[in-house]
Amino acid sequence: MLNTVSISGTPGTGKTDVSKALVEKTGYELLDVNEVVKNSEEIEFVKDEERNTLSVDIGSMRKVLEEKVVDKTVLEGHLSHHHGSDMIIVLRCSPEELEERLKSRDWSEKKIRENVESEVIDVILQEAVNMHGDKVIEVDTTGKNSEEVAQEIQEILEGKKELEEYRPGTVEWSKEYLYG
Ligand SMILES: Nc1ncnc2c1ncn2[C@@H]1O[C@H](COP(=O)(O)OP(=O)(O)OP(=O)(O)O)[C@@H](O)[C@H]1O
Ligand SMILES: [Mg+2]
């Protein structure tokens, strides 16, 4: 089994739920990167009031994560791919389903649309691949519950799955989203 694994992806793809289920199954430690950012005095962040998001100083965050990450850790959060984990898993979700999931949050239409669009154009996946190349895989969560996704990831970590099926580029939303 790998030592450290990052679970990243667009908000609403299920990182938190899936990671909780995954650590229950595997006994890994769980590190919630958003919590680390909020609680560390060494990491600078600015609150973007309009978007209601945090703009985080990535350099200092990486330094703090280096210190915090112990053996056998799952790092979860939309910034977790900035850590140099042994494997970076980007969760994906179809635009239609993601929109439904995000609608149950108390978010503005604009914020929901921005996040769905960033899922469509692979923002986090591209960022992760640019940083970590073939350590990155993507796992589609569409039509699956978090328990099923966690099970699939466990099998990937145990080497029971063909990694080729999860290579970046496997998931493709833009055609369907743009042309119906
Ligand atoms: N595989 C899934 N299928 C359907 N719904 C899911 C799935 N995984 C999570 N959900 C639901 O979707 C919502 C978003 O899940 P979750 O909070 O885990 O996302 P997240 O990626 O951690 O988002 P954030 O980046 O905002 O923390 C929750 O309501 C959760 O119950
Ligand atoms: Mg979360």
Side-chain angles (χ1 to χ4, degrees):
M1 292 277 263
L2 298 164
N3 195 28
T4 52
V5 179
S6 290
I7 310 265
S8 192
T10 309
T13 49
K15 301 176 291 292
T16 302
D17 281 13
V18 167
S19 301
K20 281 186 183 150
L22 180 65
V23 298
E24 284 221 346
K25 289 165 155 325
T26 57
Y28 273 63
E29 296 294 322
L30 181 58
L31 192 63
D32 176 338
V33 172
N34 290 330
E35 281 300 304
V36 173
V37 169
K38 282 188 206 143
N39 296 329
S40 167
E41 285 174 5
E42 292 158 64
I43 305 174
E44 283 179 33
F45 62 84
V46 224
K47 192 158 185 203
D48 180 335
E49 293 292 347
E50 196 200 339
R51 289 201 163 75
N52 192 24
T53 53
L54 301 179
S55 174
V56 177
D57 175 47
I58 300 294
S60 57
M61 180 189 78
R62 290 174 82 150
K63 239 165 78 190
V64 171
L65 288 175
E66 285 292 337
E67 293 159 11
K68 278 207 177 289
V69 173
V70 296
D71 281 349
K72 301 276 172 205
T73 298
V74 169
L75 295 84
E76 88 71 14
H78 71 288
L79 297 172
S80 67
H81 59 285
H82 289 281
H83 182 73
S85 294
D86 300 317
M87 183 181 269
I88 320 287
I89 300 177
V90 179
L91 298 186
R92 307 303 307 269
C93 181
S94 78
E96 294 78 17
E97 188 169 326
L98 187 63
E99 192 177 355
E100 285 311 309
R101 291 191 201 173
L102 293 178
K103 272 184 182 163
S104 62
R105 296 182 179 190
D106 174 26
W107 280 12
S108 69
E109 290 230 354
K110 181 162 174 264
K111 186 168 176 175
I112 293 177
R113 184 163 21 91
E114 281 177 357
N115 280 282
V116 171
E117 283 172 1
S118 86
E119 173 64 12
V120 169
I121 60 171
D122 308 326
V123 172
I124 290 194
L125 181 77
Q126 300 280 358
E127 244 180 52
V129 169
N130 287 341
M131 278 184 270
H132 306 290
D134 60 9
K135 285 187 177 165
V136 182
I137 63 165
E138 52 180 349
V139 172
D140 190 0
T141 69
T142 313
K144 302 170 191 162
N145 62 38
S146 46
E147 189 58 40
E148 289 168 329
V149 177
Q151 176 70 34
E152 192 171 349
I153 292 176
Q154 183 178 16
E155 288 172 22
I156 292 171
L157 298 180
E158 290 170 351
K160 293 179 180 162
K161 294 272 190 193
E162 204 57 66
L163 276 188
E164 212 42 51
E165 289 170 34
Y166 300 94
R167 287 281 165 232
T170 315
V171 170
E172 153 78 81
W173 306 131
S174 55
K175 285 198 192 85
E176 175 194 341
Y177 187 76
L178 292 172
Y179 309 114

